[in-house]
Amino acid sequence: MNTVDIIVPCYNEEEGLSVFYQETQKILDGIPNYQFTYLFVNDGSRDETLRVMKTLASEHANVKYLSFSRNFGKEAAMYAGLTYSVGDLVIIMDADLQHPPAMIPDMLKGIEEGYDCCAARRSSREGEGKIRSAFSNLFYKLSNRMTDVRMAQGAVDFRIMTRQVVDSILKLSEVERFSKGIFAWVGFNTKWYPYENIERAIGTTKWSFWGLFKYAISGITSFSIAPLRLVTGMGCIISLFAFLYIVATLIKTMITGIDVPGYVTLLCAVLFLGGIIELSVGILGEYIAHIYMEAKDRPIFIVKETNLDRKNP
Ligand code: UDP
Ligand code: MG
């Protein structure tokens, strides 16, 4: 019998967690030949999420939990789940039922067909603001143009993976984790399952617009050095123009003599170059920030308590 671990990152999900368990269990009860274990990761929730997890664990033998010492973010929670997982297959899904458990049987069939990975992708962005979807589209266009990894548009963190894929993901132990890129980077055959976006029924989304923006920038700079090349390119083009302008000005001065006015030209040039330099320093800074974070080599998460037998992964 194949064992399957279901990793569920949870941050302030006290209202929905029992419903999530019931709804998911209803589906799992109809799947023979697999043995499922839930691995709830409490990502430093400020509400009673951990208590709900403990209650579930006392009622059901297939419920395990890990609880962080503080909020480390969803990426850290998913990584922790993967680190502690031992199943032949691993499922990652959200706790808010936006990832329909009813898709699990189909996704398992995909694995039986021989795929290494079966992942869900939103076919529509309904229930999401216009500005947010516009920025999201822009992000996919930019990142797919700039990076070697092809990130599937609308891909969500709802997937089933074989042990081999999980082990490969765990080899990428970077501190600043961008899972969408990491999943694409490790490769393997992925089967995509489109589904209609469902609005969150219980609780609220944990993502702010600013949070998503920072996540997108970090995603691009984690997987691509194209922005650095852009700086080099800008430098080359501006130097070329500057050189031509200097030659032209010299010739003009030699022919017509020095004319004093030129205040506007000077001001424009200074401001323009100032802007470009600030932008370039900013781009360099993004990469230095990555180096800084990785060089510190801090743990990605800290577990405070768990009911797992294995206290260390
Ligand atoms: N989550 C988490 N840590 C965080 C933020 C979110 O573990 O710091 C979990 C959250 O509990 C949920 C999943 O990540 O299970 C997705 O979060 P959310 O529904 O807020 O994001 P969205 O569906 O809007 O992308
Ligand atoms: Mg959600």
Side-chain angles (χ1 to χ4, degrees):
M1 186 138 77
N2 278 327
T3 52
V4 186
D5 288 336
I6 305 179
I7 298 171
V8 190
C10 305
Y11 177 58
N12 296 348
E13 301 284 1
E14 61 174 5
E15 297 154 273
L17 207 56
S18 334
V19 185
F20 168 84
Y21 179 84
Q22 287 158 16
E23 292 296 314
T24 311
Q25 196 52 41
K26 259 188 236 160
I27 305 287
L28 300 188
D29 284 339
I31 308 175
N33 301 331
Y34 289 96
Q35 192 193 330
F36 295 94
T37 308
Y38 294 83
L39 181 48
F40 292 113
V41 184
N42 174 32
D43 183 15
S45 301
R46 288 171 212 280
D47 62 2
E48 294 297 313
T49 303
L50 180 59
R51 200 183 42 79
V52 179
M53 284 179 188
K54 285 182 175 167
T55 314
L56 283 171
S58 64
E59 291 164 355
H60 311 279
N62 66 343
V63 173
K64 302 288 174 195
Y65 63 83
L66 280 175
S67 186
F68 287 176
S69 58
R70 64 165 171 88
N71 178 253
F72 281 88
K74 185 187 178 189
E75 292 289 338
M78 291 194 291
Y79 181 74
L82 292 177
T83 329
Y84 278 84
S85 74
V86 287
D88 303 320
L89 300 174
V90 171
I91 298 179
I92 298 184
M93 64 194 294
D94 284 0
D96 56 5
L97 287 173
Q98 278 186 305
H99 296 163
M103 289 168 69
I104 294 177
D106 276 345
M107 288 164 90
L108 279 172
K109 284 206 188 78
I111 297 284
E112 285 163 10
E113 282 165 24
Y115 285 92
D116 304 298
C117 192
C118 294
R121 131 202 264 170
R122 280 191 291 196
S123 54
S124 71
R125 301 195 75 92
E126 246 166 76
E128 202 180 61
K130 281 216 167 60
I131 303 180
R132 199 164 153 165
S133 14
F135 268 96
S136 160
N137 284 338
L138 180 71
F139 168 75
Y140 282 109
K141 279 219 182 78
L142 273 181
S143 63
N144 280 342
R145 186 158 296 176
M146 291 201 282
T147 61
D148 299 332
V149 295
R150 286 280 154 276
M151 281 182 247
Q153 182 134 20
V156 294
D157 299 323
F158 176 24
R159 45 175 56 227
I160 301 189
M161 298 171 280
T162 60
R163 175 74 0 217
Q164 196 186 15
V165 178
V166 173
D167 289 342
S168 313
I169 290 172
L170 289 175
K171 285 201 184 113
L172 277 74
S173 56
E174 56 223 59
V175 180
E176 300 218 318
R177 305 189 68 76
F178 184 70
S179 287
K180 280 185 183 29
I182 291 176
F183 292 147
W185 190 91
V186 294
F188 295 101
N189 289 331
T190 303
K191 185 170 181 183
W192 292 100
Y193 292 75
Y195 75 103
E196 289 286 317
N197 190 24
I198 315 163
E199 281 196 49
R200 205 182 224 280
I202 311 167
T204 50
T205 177
K206 311 297 182 299
W207 284 102
S208 64
F209 183 77
W210 180 235
L212 277 175
F213 183 74
K214 283 197 289 191
Y215 186 62
I217 297 280
S218 151
I220 290 178
T221 49
S222 293
F223 281 88
S224 163
I225 54 163
L228 289 175
R229 299 245 161 84
L230 182 78
V231 172
T232 317
M234 274 191 314
C236 290
I237 294 171
I238 292 172
S239 305
L240 183 73
F241 275 110
F243 178 74
L244 295 178
Y245 188 71
I246 290 168
V247 172
T249 314
L250 275 180
I251 294 172
K252 194 169 153 245
T253 313
M254 279 190 280
I255 296 169
T256 61
I258 297 170
D259 61 359
V260 174
Y263 174 73
V264 176
T265 330
L266 203 61
L267 188 69
C268 289
V270 167
L271 288 181
F272 176 69
L273 286 180
I276 297 278
I277 290 168
E278 289 285 327
L279 177 73
S280 309
V281 172
I283 292 177
L284 281 179
E286 287 293 327
Y287 287 88
I288 294 173
H290 275 295
I291 300 172
Y292 171 66
M293 294 310 286
E294 299 302 330
K296 284 197 285 190
D297 199 26
R298 291 189 178 161
I300 296 170
F301 59 88
I302 293 171
V303 174
K304 187 178 165 201
E305 54 178 304
T306 171
N307 67 338
L308 284 169
D309 304 327
R310 39 187 193 285
K311 299 296 176 219
N312 291 303

